[in-house]
Amino acid sequence: EVQVVESGGGLVQPGGSLRLSCAASGFAFSNYSLNWVRQAPGKGLEWVSYISSRGSTIYYADSVRGRFTISRDNARNSLYLQMNSLRAEDTAVYYCAREHVGVYFDYWGQGTLVTVSS
Amino acid sequence: SYELTQPPSVSVSPGQTASITCSGDKLGDKYVCWYQQKPGQSPVLVIYQDGKRPSGIPERFSGSNSGNTATLTISGTLAMDEGDYYCQAWVIGTAWVFGGGTKVTVL
């Protein structure tokens, strides 16, 4: 069974840092591109970042470029999102999503809540 | 930056047809997929590559895409179809883009 499980969310002060993790199982992790998607409370989905199967291609949304860093460890079946210089507007549930051959996101985690507040 | 525009809400009577639009510049040149999200849950894919249904998605869900507009159609809408619906597309130079979402209410 395919599973992706996010962790690492929590309360952080503005300007602080947080590292999210996504642990995957049930599929050949190194064969798939992965994404982070966030959803602010009561708002819509916002794509955050993409990483290719081997990590050679990375994209970021304009809203996080220069502050967030996506990475992966294929040996550990894990995806990461290092978030620096956090702002109140980064408050959201962050989802890890497996991408199916550049066509759609077929598996989503349950999300991890990040709250940026003093 | 590229934007996908959806109506904030759509209301439909049980058994009727709901149509949700997603607009973007030359969207018909791109593949569009659609997700359903219910409160407190993660999104679920209901349509991909404009009009294909994943395994397990009822036939009442269909999609089309032409010109600047993609449309998700729910035929014979059921109460269980209530939720938020998001369109998504891959845009060269931008990567993934989501529409703002449409709340479907079955009255």
Side-chain angles (χ1 to χ4, degrees), chain A residues 9-57:
Chain A
L11 175 64
V12 60
Q13 292 188 339
S17 298
L18 211 55
R19 189 195 197 204
L20 305 183
S21 298
C22 172
S25 60
F27 64 99
F29 184 81
S30 61
N31 290 349
Y32 287 86
S33 298
L34 298 164
N35 292 264
W36 287 101
V37 177
R38 69 183 181 183
Q39 187 169 34
K43 302 297 185 182
L45 301 175
E46 179 188 14
W47 170 80
V48 172
S49 185
Y50 160 97
I51 187 168
S52 61
S53 60
R54 297 185 184 274
S56 56
T57 300

Side-chain angles (χ1 to χ4, degrees), chain A residues 35 37 39 43-47 50 59-62 65 95 99 102-106 108-111, chain B residues 1 31 33 35 37 41-45 47-49 84 86 88 90 93-100:
Chain A
N35 292 264
V37 177
Q39 187 169 34
K43 302 297 185 182
L45 301 175
E46 179 188 14
W47 170 80
Y50 160 97
Y59 298 109
Y60 296 101
D62 290 344
R65 186 177 294 113
Y95 294 100
E99 182 177 310
V103 178
Y104 53 82
F105 296 172
D106 54 359
W108 298 65
Q110 83 291 343
Chain B
S1 62
Y31 275 135
C33 53
Y35 300 89
Q37 187 181 34
Q41 298 183 17
S42 302
V44 173
L45 180 73
I47 291 289
Y48 68 98
Q49 286 185 327
D84 296 323
Y86 298 90
Q88 180 196 33
W90 173 271
T94 301
W96 291 105
V97 178
F98 284 100

Side-chain angles (χ1 to χ4, degrees), chain B residues 1 8-9 12 16 20 22 36 39 43 54 60 71 75 99:
Chain B
S1 62
S9 62
V12 60
Q16 299 304 112
I20 306 164
C22 173
Q36 176 195 67
R60 63 180 181 273
T71 303
S75 305

Side-chain angles (χ1 to χ4, degrees), chain B residues 24-102:
Chain B
D25 185 48
K26 298 180 181 179
L27 186 57
D29 294 342
K30 311 177 194 324
Y31 275 135
V32 173
C33 53
W34 292 88
Y35 300 89
Q36 176 195 67
Q37 187 181 34
K38 297 185 179 183
Q41 298 183 17
S42 302
V44 173
L45 180 73
V46 294
I47 291 289
Y48 68 98
Q49 286 185 327
D50 299 338
K52 298 180 179 179
R53 276 179 293 104
S55 172
I57 299 302
E59 290 184 8
R60 63 180 181 273
F61 288 89
S62 62
S64 63
N65 183 20
S66 179
N68 294 323
T69 303
T71 303
L72 173 69
T73 301
I74 312 173
S75 305
T77 307
L78 303 177
M80 68 170 62
D81 298 330
E82 276 200 345
D84 296 323
Y85 290 81
Y86 298 90
C87 59
Q88 180 196 33
W90 173 271
V91 178
I92 295 174
T94 301
W96 291 105
V97 178
F98 284 100
T102 299

Side-chain angles (χ1 to χ4, degrees), chain A residues 10-18 67 83-91 114-118:
Chain A
L11 175 64
V12 60
Q13 292 188 339
S17 298
L18 211 55
R67 301 187 298 122
M83 304 185 296
N84 297 332
S85 303
L86 282 162
R87 307 166 179 167
E89 53 264 37
D90 295 318
T91 293
V114 173
T115 302
V116 184
S117 174
S118 55

